[in-house]
Amino acid sequence: MTGSHPGDGLPTGQGPVLIGGFSFAAAVATAATAEKPWTTPFPEALMWVPGLQIRGSTALSPMAELRAEQCVPEGDATRVDRAPQLPSRKPSASRELPPAEQEKDLVGQAVDQIGHGAFEKVVLAREVEVTTDIPFDLPMALERLRRTYPDATVFAVGHGEHTFIGATPEYLVRLSDRNVRALGLAGTAPRGSTARLDTELEKQLTDSAKIRHEHDVVVRMLVNALRPTCARVEAGNGPTVLKLANVQHLATVVEGQDVQPGLGILQFVERLHPTPALGGHPREESLNWLKQRAGPQQHRLPLRGLRHTRSSWRSCVPASAEPTRTNSPLGRT
């Protein structure tokens, strides 16, 4: 999270960066985790301000080093050399959790619960555990993510011997003065190998009643969550299409104006996280079902800034002596 206060000499968003995150949900012991106890190297909440911060908005922009309360000009800053080559590495072993048959059973249970009105939407996460015979190269992994997803926020948060890394195209919430914005990102299609195929896939995405319903569930939740805190809340007129390197998403910005005095970014995080795009809707009913049936959900919320936060679900936690775990969502509406 980034931020500044009047009188500190820095524009809004250019103060020290607060790094951290929250777990998807509180860890609980259930029948789903009895056979395989799940441990995570990260606590359920972790936040800190790094003593040394180096930042630049683009590869060509001036880079500044931030030490405590002092900004060092570009000429005096430490420079970071990017990896010139990205050799390909293949994992020595990998496995999906839960196994395919168990996953199909969970999907069937979820569909049955939706049919009986237990909840409207739920998101199941699949874990992929990867093992290699050589240490993971974190700088190279980040550089690969940066090149593959130039429009995403690439992050790496270290804690002990473990690092939580990933790339996310979305932000959860942004707070500027007395205006707040949340991004609804739900409904996905692949990119086409040609311009014509890409346009056809985009049309299928925007014309699908099922996908539009999935998207509308997220937008409706964001509007309802922001409404008690703002004088006015508006959602965009229909979703736009956000195109990334390998997928395209339906996206709608929800904006609240005249935020009640005294509310900070963490109060909005509490209201919004996790959105139906990550957990389900209604929140309590879908999350309770996930805890009891699907076991641990490893979605986490990386935070950067006192003004905005980003949510992530495609991520991994590599360690020096343990397999790497990656996660991908399986949305069911």
Side-chain angles (χ1 to χ4, degrees):
M1 298 190 292
T2 61
S4 60
H5 298 279
D8 62 9
L10 294 173
T12 297
Q14 294 188 18
V17 178
L18 176 65
I19 303 295
F22 300 108
S23 62
F24 171 79
V28 294
T30 68
T33 61
E35 295 182 0
K36 181 195 172 186
W38 180 268
T39 59
T40 173
F42 291 88
E44 293 183 2
L46 179 66
M47 304 180 75
W48 75 96
V49 177
L52 173 62
Q53 302 176 16
I54 302 174
R55 74 177 67 166
S57 58
T58 68
L60 300 179
S61 68
M63 185 176 292
E65 178 181 289
L66 184 63
R67 293 181 182 271
E69 299 179 355
Q70 178 182 9
C71 285
V72 181
E74 177 189 8
D76 300 328
T78 302
R79 301 310 300 261
V80 177
D81 294 326
R82 293 187 172 94
Q85 297 181 346
L86 299 177
S88 177
R89 295 179 176 177
K90 295 183 179 180
S92 57
S94 65
R95 63 170 179 162
E96 296 183 0
L97 300 171
E101 290 303 317
Q102 184 178 346
E103 177 192 335
K104 292 178 182 179
D105 181 63
L106 285 173
V107 171
Q109 292 181 44
V111 171
D112 183 66
Q113 290 297 307
I114 292 173
H116 285 83
F119 39 76
E120 188 174 5
K121 172 184 171 70
V122 70
V123 179
L124 300 176
R126 176 195 298 148
E127 176 189 341
V128 180
E129 190 176 82
V130 179
T131 303
T132 67
D133 53 6
I134 56 176
F136 290 96
D137 190 327
L138 288 177
M140 185 173 294
L142 289 173
E143 179 66 9
R144 191 182 298 276
L145 287 173
R146 188 188 68 83
R147 294 190 184 186
T148 304
Y149 305 104
D151 297 323
T153 295
V154 177
F155 60 88
V157 180
H159 184 59
E161 296 183 349
H162 299 79
T163 305
F164 179 53
I165 70 174
T168 176
E170 67 176 310
Y171 62 87
L172 176 66
V173 60
R174 290 175 175 171
L175 180 62
S176 178
D177 297 323
R178 295 187 62 190
N179 296 321
V180 61
R181 282 190 173 191
L183 177 63
L185 202 65
T188 305
R191 295 297 303 272
S193 56
T194 65
R196 179 178 177 179
L197 179 56
D198 196 60
T199 301
E200 292 177 356
L201 291 170
E202 178 183 344
K203 188 175 187 305
Q204 294 175 16
L205 176 67
T206 56
D207 291 350
S208 170
K210 174 187 177 299
I211 292 177
R212 183 59 181 266
H213 171 74
E214 176 186 349
H215 183 79
D216 289 346
V217 168
V218 176
V219 174
R220 186 170 70 244
M221 175 269 179
L222 295 177
V223 170
N224 291 337
L226 294 182
R227 185 165 285 148
T229 68
C230 306
R232 294 178 300 280
V233 177
E234 297 178 352
N237 295 325
T240 60
V241 177
L242 176 63
K243 292 181 178 287
L244 304 174
N246 58 339
V247 295
Q248 43 194 327
H249 300 289
L250 293 183
T252 297
V253 175
V254 178
E255 184 171 4
Q257 300 175 347
D258 293 333
V259 173
Q260 294 176 4
L263 291 180
I265 193 69
L266 293 182
Q267 281 77 26
F268 285 104
V269 169
E270 183 178 14
R271 283 183 166 273
L272 300 175
H273 176 67
T275 72
L278 297 184
H281 184 75
R283 180 189 294 180
E284 183 177 357
E285 289 81 356
S286 58
L287 294 190
N288 284 340
W289 186 86
L290 284 172
K291 291 177 183 178
Q292 297 299 323
R293 301 295 195 283
Q297 299 289 305
Q298 281 304 105
H299 306 305
R300 299 183 68 87
L301 176 67
L303 300 183
R304 55 178 300 275
L306 295 172
R307 299 292 176 180
H308 67 274
T309 68
R310 294 186 179 268
S311 60
S312 172
W313 61 89
R314 294 180 180 89
S315 51
C316 64
V317 184
S320 57
E322 295 183 9
T324 290
R325 292 166 173 145
T326 68
N327 298 278
S328 296
L330 301 171
R332 306 298 177 201
T333 58

